[in-house]
Each structure stands twice: as structure tokens, then as C-alpha cells.
Amino acid sequence: MYQTAVLYAAMMVLGAVAAMAWSVKTNGEFPLKHAATASLAPTSSNTTASVFITTFAAFDPDASYVLPNYASNFNAASLTTIDTTVVWPNEAAAAPFNTSIITLAGGFFANPGKATGRVSLRAVDAATGAVGMAVQASQDKTGYFYHHVEWTPLSSRLNALVSARVKVPTAGKAQGELVLLTPSSNDYLTASWTESVVATGPDVFFTLADLESKGNTVVIASQYFTAKALMIYDCQGPLVNCSDATVQSYVIDNSEKAGFFSVTYVDVNNDGQTDVLATTNTATGKGGVFVYVAISDYRQGPGAWVKHELATGYVPTLPFLPGRGAPGSISTFAPPSNTMASGKPCLLVSGDDAGTVSVLTPNSGKPSDWGYTQTFIYNTTGTVGSPVAVATAEGGVDVIVPDYAQNKMVWLTLLS
């Protein structure tokens, strides 16, 4: 079980001047049927880290878990069940202002009995695994399911939830909606929740951003079912005052002829300007990782952005089967200080149905250098879930991988 392998990034060098290597140590694994997503579960401790894990499948039971202090308890017996009522849980995430409250977003059309999803909140102490009360924030809408949730402030004392949901009928067009979920008080677990549709179109993942640094929140949506496009939805004001009649939409990119999947808003090249980082997901092998840098007013459409392709060529296993696609989720993490990245984040990429997990490492610290070296740090026989990277006290980086195909969780450590 404990073994160290050096994987050379020359396996796939994307614009690299010189190949570098990551040392990848496998610390442990344990069986978990249909392991699907992993995310950091913040705690009050600076020395230990916990992880949220979700599992889902078309015909088996679904569940969400917390694994407290994973470095000391990486085993199935240490899992605490958080929830079994949210079907097909696509995400479990802690509230940024209160880490003892988590949101769950779920549902999927692979099974009609799980197509009607929901957004719920649950009290969880990630450090101990203690689980408290829960409340459903969304209203059931037949056939609509959720992938992602973000919080947005309504005032200095009250926050609301934003989510996207989509219905994928057997015939006809998919229908996506961006919804605002508003609590009656800041006692979020006992509050009553109301729901309003902010815009039609967003369907899977999205991120909230202030593109002009003027306090105007827009929604950057990666659309997969309703359109093959990366979009902006703008109310020119608070989301709470927004409606489908007032929102304006603008295209960032619709040239890939593939559904957009993961999206985040982050300074990719360490130049002080925040960028849009996204993936496309397709069975053609042309799905990729892209960065969009704003060069003018986003209302001008695609011409307002410079597009950088960081990686492509992710090929799903069994691509002829319906619904296959790659890559999947993307996230960033700070590299160890002794790498050549010099301030730029590294990128963690799930291959999804390609069955890989890879790291894109910047070739230099120059903001103008968009060259990356890709290292495949994990391979499996089929679908891999959404991994999470966690900085370690020793200066390395842990990666927790849900291996969906092999029904297990895997703990890796990256050292440069």
C-alpha cells in the first residue's frame, strides 16, 4: 500500500522548456462504493484537515459523508454519514462564513426517480464528525436537479444561496434556471426559505464574480445541457432584485462545440487580475482546460476575452457509450515553495470518464508564460470523481481521489 513513484511530467509537456517531476506517494486507500466527490471540510484546527465525500449511482443508495482528520483516520470505519436524503449528491461544501453549516446539491436524470433534486443545509462538525439538524432550502420541481451552490450576501447579517438547476427531458430541449434561495433569518437551519428564478439558461456549474470591482455581482455559467457555451448573466445590481426580465446575458466562448463543465474565477497567472478558468467535457477527445483573460468590457462578448488553451486530448474510456465525457472538475492549489511556479497556482484536473487525475504545473513564474507541464498522478479503469488538494504541514500537497470505477478512496501526497 505504501509506495512511492516518481512520475515525470515528460509524459505530456505542454509548451514546456524543461520537464519537471513530481514525487507521488500513495499513503492509503479504503473501499467505498460509487465514490464520487471529495472536498475540503474546514475545521478550527490548523493542524488537521477533514474531507467531505459523496457517493451516487443510478440504482444504488446515495450518501454524503465526512471523514474527520483524514491523515489519522483514512479508513471506512471513520466515515460519518451526513445525509442520505439528498439523492445523487453532486456537491458537499461548507459555508464560507460558518464552517459548521454545509450545503448539499443533488439529483440527476440518469434515474427518473433521482431526477428531482434538491439543495439542503446540514449542521456538521467536521473535526469530530458530529451531525446536527437539516433543512431543505429549495422547493422540489419535478425533473430539475442541482450541481453547485454558492452564498451571496443580502446584508451585513444575512446571506442567501444561489444555485443552478436543469431539467433534461427525454424529448425536447433542456431547461436551465438560476435560482436565489432566501432565508427568513440568519438562523439558517431553522429559517424558512423562499425561492425565486433569477434567470433561465444556467444549468450545471457557475461562479459568482465582480468583474469590474464595483460591487456588481455577475454569474459566470458553464452551460452543458442548455447550450455549449460559457456565459455571463448580469443584473447590473444585486441578485435579490434580479429577474429573467431584467437580466442580460453575454457570451464568453461558444466556439468549442462541446459542453462547458467546471468553472472558477481565479488569478491563474499571478498578474493581479482574476481570470476565468474552465473545462469542456466531451467524448471526442477534444475536451480541454481553458483560461479567459478579460481585455475589454465583457458586454462586448467573446472579443472581450483572450483565450488560452492549457491542455486538451482527454479521451474517455468506452467513448461510444452515452453520456461519456472528459475532462471534469478543475481546481487550483498552491504548489510547494521549492517549485519553479513562483506564485502561480497549480491546477488539479479530474479526467472524469478518462479515468485520470492530473496536475498542470506552470513552466515559469512569468505572467506572460502560459506554458504548462501536465503530470498524470493517478489512473483508473473508468470514471474518476472530483478530487481535492490539501496543503500539508510538511510543505507538500495531499490529493484525495474518489475512484468511482474501482469503488474506493485514495490518498496521495505530492512532493516536488
Side-chain angles (χ1 to χ4, degrees):
M1 179 179 296
Y2 296 92
Q3 51 186 310
T4 301
V6 177
L7 288 88
Y8 288 92
M11 294 169 61
M12 181 177 285
V13 180
L14 307 169
V17 175
M20 65 166 290
W22 287 96
S23 174
V24 182
K25 178 183 177 182
T26 302
N27 296 294
E29 60 182 54
F30 64 83
L32 184 63
K33 196 171 184 181
H34 308 310
T37 75
S39 58
L40 182 63
T43 68
S44 58
S45 171
N46 294 322
T47 59
T48 62
S50 302
V51 177
F52 294 129
I53 299 169
T54 72
T55 65
F56 53 66
F59 301 106
D60 285 335
D62 308 317
S64 301
Y65 305 92
V66 62
L67 181 62
N69 189 10
Y70 73 85
S72 299
N73 302 296
F74 203 78
N75 55 73
S78 297
L79 287 173
T80 298
T81 301
I82 297 172
D83 184 88
T84 58
T85 64
V86 176
V87 296
W88 204 287
N90 290 300
E91 178 185 78
F97 55 87
N98 186 341
T99 57
S100 65
I101 296 176
I102 72 161
T103 55
L104 298 166
F108 198 57
F109 72 111
N111 178 344
K114 298 184 179 185
T116 300
R118 65 176 57 173
V119 172
S120 290
L121 288 77
R122 172 76 75 171
V124 178
D125 185 337
T128 65
V131 177
M133 65 186 305
V135 63
Q136 181 175 337
S138 64
Q139 300 173 14
D140 288 350
K141 190 171 183 179
T142 302
Y144 282 81
F145 53 91
Y146 303 80
H147 274 79
H148 177 59
V149 173
E150 291 194 18
W151 291 88
T152 188
L154 298 180
S155 69
S156 60
R157 295 175 57 85
L158 189 65
N159 299 280
L161 289 171
V162 181
S163 191
R165 64 187 180 194
V166 63
K167 181 177 184 178
V168 183
T170 54
K173 294 183 178 180
Q175 303 163 44
E177 295 179 339
L178 188 76
V179 293
L180 184 71
L181 307 173
T182 305
S184 58
S185 74
N186 60 8
D187 190 352
Y188 299 103
L189 294 168
T190 61
S192 59
W193 290 77
T194 58
E195 178 181 292
S196 60
V197 176
V198 174
T200 57
D203 57 5
V204 183
F205 290 100
F206 66 92
T207 188
L208 304 181
D210 183 359
L211 296 180
E212 298 177 310
S213 300
K214 295 180 179 179
N216 176 44
T217 299
V218 303
V219 177
I220 304 173
S222 55
Q223 292 181 218
Y224 182 89
F225 294 106
T226 57
K228 298 182 185 303
L230 188 62
M231 301 287 297
I232 291 175
Y233 291 83
D234 184 7
C235 293
Q236 285 298 310
L239 285 176
V240 68
N241 297 330
C242 194
S243 70
D244 201 37
T246 60
V247 70
Q248 298 291 318
S249 62
Y250 306 95
V251 176
I252 297 177
D253 187 10
N254 60 0
S255 66
E256 285 300 310
K257 297 181 173 60
F260 280 82
F261 192 68
S262 187
V263 63
T264 188
Y265 190 54
V266 62
D267 185 356
V268 176
N269 63 335
N270 196 34
D271 67 347
Q273 177 181 343
T274 315
D275 312 299
V276 178
L277 174 64
T279 63
T280 55
N281 182 280
T282 178
T284 65
K286 296 182 179 180
V289 177
F290 304 93
V291 175
Y292 300 85
V293 179
I295 57 172
S296 62
D297 191 331
Y298 61 85
R299 300 168 188 85
Q300 297 178 9
W305 304 86
V306 172
K307 175 181 176 180
H308 298 278
E309 180 184 279
L310 304 189
T312 189
Y314 301 89
V315 181
T317 61
L318 304 174
F320 52 85
L321 293 178
R324 306 291 282 177
S329 66
I330 189 165
S331 58
T332 62
F333 65 90
S337 58
N338 62 336
T339 68
M340 60 188 293
S342 184
K344 291 183 182 179
C346 291
L347 312 180
L348 182 65
V349 185
S350 164
D352 196 8
D353 292 325
T356 61
V357 177
S358 61
V359 173
L360 292 175
T361 307
N363 289 338
S364 77
K366 297 178 181 179
S368 60
D369 183 359
W370 291 95
Y372 281 76
T373 298
Q374 181 160 237
T375 306
F376 291 96
I377 63 170
Y378 189 78
N379 293 272
T380 188
T381 55
T383 301
V384 70
S386 298
V388 63
V390 184
T392 68
E394 297 76 25
V397 177
D398 284 349
V399 179
I400 310 300
V401 179
D403 187 335
Y404 193 89
Q406 293 295 312
N407 296 300
K408 64 182 179 180
M409 297 296 301
V410 181
W411 169 21
L412 310 174
T413 295
L414 305 183
L415 298 169
S416 62

